[in-house]
Amino acid sequence: MFVVVTAAPTGLLVAPAFAVNPDEVLADPALEARARKLSEGLRCLVCQNESIDDSNADLAKDLRLLVRARLEAGDTDTEVIDYLVSRYGEFVLLRPRLDWLNLALWATPLVVLFGGAVLAVATVAGRRRRRQAPPELSAAEEEAIARITGGRG
């Protein structure tokens, strides 16, 4: 989200608009910096492509206030994130954690693609083998062909 601010009669200045309201800002600058850093990595569950720091949605405001309340209560950054993930799921993170479940999710298309390639190669190779080696006919089959074709075979 961006706000256009008139800088002079001849031009415009475009600046990012942050959704953090003045009443949300913590008095302690160090805690506020931590809250801002955490908020940048948390997804607005309403907007879904914005961080809670950038969103004007009511839920985003509630999450910003919750982050600040947890920090004021003495939680570490990791404890705040863990609390929000336990409450809203990993979808609340803009950058999901690297764990086995997420790795499996990202690796599955590659495994399927590799398996399909192996199956395609095996199928083509099998067809080539069958095409290259014509079957041997028995003596009875040779006689039957000669009889049908009148010896022109």
Side-chain angles (χ1 to χ4, degrees), residues 15-75:
F18 296 109
V20 178
N21 299 323
D23 62 331
E24 297 175 31
V25 177
L26 296 172
D28 182 358
L31 279 181
E32 180 61 26
R34 284 177 56 203
R36 283 294 180 98
K37 183 176 179 256
L38 289 173
S39 296
E40 289 173 359
L42 296 171
R43 179 187 317 272
C44 173
L45 300 172
V46 175
C47 308
Q48 295 187 3
N49 287 330
E50 287 184 324
S51 71
I52 62 171
D53 211 21
D54 297 333
S55 176
N56 285 321
D58 290 336
L59 181 58
K61 179 179 180 174
D62 292 343
L63 288 174
R64 287 191 303 265
L65 292 173
L66 179 61
V67 166
R68 284 165 173 76
R70 301 289 298 196
L71 289 174
E72 283 182 321
D75 284 3

Side-chain angles (χ1 to χ4, degrees), residues 1-17:
M1 175 187 311
F2 291 93
V3 173
V4 177
V5 181
T6 304
T10 59
L12 297 174
L13 175 69
V14 178

Side-chain angles (χ1 to χ4, degrees), residues 117-133:
V118 167
L119 181 64
V121 167
T123 302
V124 169
R127 286 183 182 171
R128 282 186 182 163
R129 273 194 307 267
R130 284 192 300 266
R131 215 177 318 143
Q132 289 174 353

